Amino acid sequence: MGLALVLAGCAALTRWDPPDVHVVQRGDTLFQIAFKHRLDWRDVAAWNGLGNAHRIYPGQELRLSPPGGARASRPAAGSATAPSRPASNSATTARRPAGAAASVPRGPAPAWGWPVRGPLLWRFGESRRNPTGIGIGGTEGAEVRAAADGEVVYSGSGLIGYGQLIIVQHSDTFLSAYGYNETLKVSEGERVKSGQVIALMGRGPADVPLLHFEIRVEGKPADPVRFLPSQ
């Protein structure tokens, strides 16, 4: 039964096909848009000719696929910084297509740690609502900690299906996401250290205390258990 659920969840990930365009809403950031559509913000910026300013504005239509099937041109690793400001005539940015679950990249990964200790309520691919991560049980109000050093690039509740969400970018390649929080303890643009308290655990869709946790590799969802140490 469990294996069937995992396979079904992974199949759903593989079939993911983002829409052609996204109409920017007030408060959107390019990073938020990219995360929602499982894209890399640098690709979206390139596909839309945003240049170094990376400005987006309400009502703007953003292309979510390369024009004419061309590949996006990437800045060299480390030459781009992630956007965090909302769209209200302010600067921002976004990420690249991720149809299938990511493989482990060649470059070194951060020294990951568990964001919270608790039972796995669902594994990667098992949740029909959020197949892109794992569900970790615990106690409402428990401390949620950053899984590695990084910068907070999103902190809010604007992404439907994640509750109060925090996204941390750890490098050009890796980011992590923490959903269904009761309280957010960090703000966008803030640097965090591994093990730092960034939120307090809230309740998920079944009204049980849990943390939805993701690791993404160049925008693609990857199984966090492959990176995390044994509990």
Side-chain angles (χ1 to χ4, degrees):
M1 177 69 173
L3 178 59
L5 285 171
V6 172
L7 292 174
C10 290
L13 285 174
T14 304
R15 289 194 303 268
W16 173 259
D17 186 19
D20 292 330
V21 297
H22 174 91
V23 179
V24 178
Q25 305 298 311
R26 187 175 183 84
D28 278 354
T29 70
L30 226 67
F31 205 105
Q32 173 187 347
I33 293 165
F35 185 88
K36 175 181 178 181
H37 296 294
R38 304 179 199 170
L39 303 173
D40 188 300
W41 66 266
R42 293 163 293 183
D43 284 352
V44 178
W47 297 337
N48 291 278
L50 297 181
N52 293 331
H54 298 138
R55 291 188 178 276
I56 62 174
Y57 52 86
Q60 181 181 7
E61 292 189 355
L62 293 179
R63 174 187 291 275
L64 298 179
S65 60
R71 287 180 175 271
S73 59
R74 285 281 184 81
S79 65
T81 54
S84 58
R85 292 185 218 154
S88 55
N89 299 323
S90 32
T92 36
T93 11
R95 289 202 163 227
R96 123 181 151 195
S103 59
V104 178
R106 296 176 185 172
W112 298 101
W114 285 84
V116 69
R117 295 287 178 170
L120 278 184
L121 301 185
W122 69 73
R123 292 184 175 273
F124 184 71
E126 286 185 343
S127 170
R128 297 187 65 180
R129 182 185 293 264
N130 291 111
T132 52
I134 59 175
I136 309 172
T139 305
E140 187 173 5
E143 293 180 335
V144 175
R145 300 177 182 274
D149 296 353
E151 179 182 349
V152 178
V153 293
Y154 182 78
S155 180
S157 56
L159 281 166
I160 296 173
Y162 289 93
Q164 294 207 82
L165 174 71
I166 290 172
I167 303 174
V168 178
Q169 184 169 25
H170 305 286
S171 69
D172 243 18
T173 301
F174 291 92
L175 64 80
S176 58
Y178 313 74
Y180 300 128
N181 299 293
E182 178 184 70
T183 305
L184 305 179
K185 295 286 191 178
V186 291
S187 303
E188 291 175 12
E190 188 172 339
R191 296 289 305 179
V192 295
K193 302 296 288 182
S194 179
Q196 179 179 335
V197 176
I198 58 175
L200 301 181
M201 183 183 288
R203 290 179 172 268
D207 198 32
V208 296
L210 69 85
L211 174 73
H212 172 81
F213 179 64
E214 295 191 22
I215 290 177
R216 294 199 181 184
V217 182
E218 294 188 340
K220 299 181 182 182
D223 184 356
V225 174
R226 297 168 64 187
F227 298 93
L228 294 169
S230 300
Q231 287 210 70

